Amino acid sequence: MASLNVGNLGEYLREQRRNAQLSLRQLADAAGVSNPYLSQIERGLRKPSAEVLQQVAKALRISAETLYVRAGILDAERPRDEVETRGVILADPTLNERQKQVLLQIYESFRKENGFEIAGVLDVDAGVEGDLGGGAGPREPTAG
């Protein structure tokens, strides 16, 4: 189950920024966010959107999916292909948050229909999970 962990995210971002030898201001400029906003994220005071995380990841040249997992947007227990697909949907700047949620719900329902039960879907707007099925993993198809 994914949970919001912005403190851990902030510490991780600060560590990655220092490893990249960037000042807070340099990273904020490269990511296209304000210096105070990035500072608040690093201190665990703000919850960034998937789009902001994608911009920061790109500026740091690290995986956006890693930041999504650290922020509690994606579940680390999910298979890599599923995490990547969900990450791409969440990072798409042309979709609003509601559209992303609908698309993720459709994706989850197709996976379930094709034999993969899904533990839950994260509601990005509310920061809570909605249960869409049972445990994760393949399911034996039934003879029809």
Side-chain angles (χ1 to χ4, degrees):
M1 215 183 225
S3 63
L4 181 61
N5 192 352
V6 291
N8 185 30
L9 171 66
E11 292 168 17
Y12 181 76
L13 282 177
R14 183 178 296 117
E15 179 182 317
Q16 294 302 309
R17 177 177 58 79
R18 288 180 177 160
N19 288 342
Q21 298 181 335
L22 293 171
S23 70
L24 191 64
R25 178 162 283 126
Q26 288 171 320
L27 179 57
D29 289 344
V33 297
S34 74
N35 190 35
Y37 181 63
L38 185 58
S39 175
Q40 290 174 347
I41 293 170
E42 279 195 1
R43 290 181 287 142
L45 301 175
R46 296 279 274 199
K47 175 189 170 192
S49 68
E51 290 85 3
V52 167
L53 289 175
Q54 182 189 34
Q55 292 168 240
V56 170
K58 187 175 179 181
L60 288 170
R61 296 183 180 161
I62 61 174
S63 163
E65 288 79 15
T66 301
L67 295 184
Y68 296 155
V69 169
R70 294 239 178 212
I73 294 173
L74 292 178
D75 187 346
E77 301 299 316
R78 294 180 185 269
R80 182 163 175 79
D81 63 334
E82 182 184 345
V83 169
E84 289 174 353
T85 302
R86 291 172 57 82
V88 168
I89 291 168
L90 289 169
D92 188 332
T94 65
L95 301 174
N96 66 38
E97 295 303 317
R98 180 67 188 133
Q99 291 168 331
K100 291 175 187 180
Q101 281 306 301
V102 170
L103 190 52
L104 286 172
Q105 289 172 350
I106 292 167
Y107 172 68
E108 301 287 358
S109 70
F110 282 152
R111 285 183 55 90
K112 184 176 179 183
E113 182 179 308
N114 291 335
F116 294 89
E117 292 279 339
I118 304 302
V121 160
L122 183 67
D123 182 339
V124 176
D125 290 331
V128 297
E129 288 192 359
D131 190 18
L132 288 181
R139 192 177 48 172
E140 193 66 34
T142 56

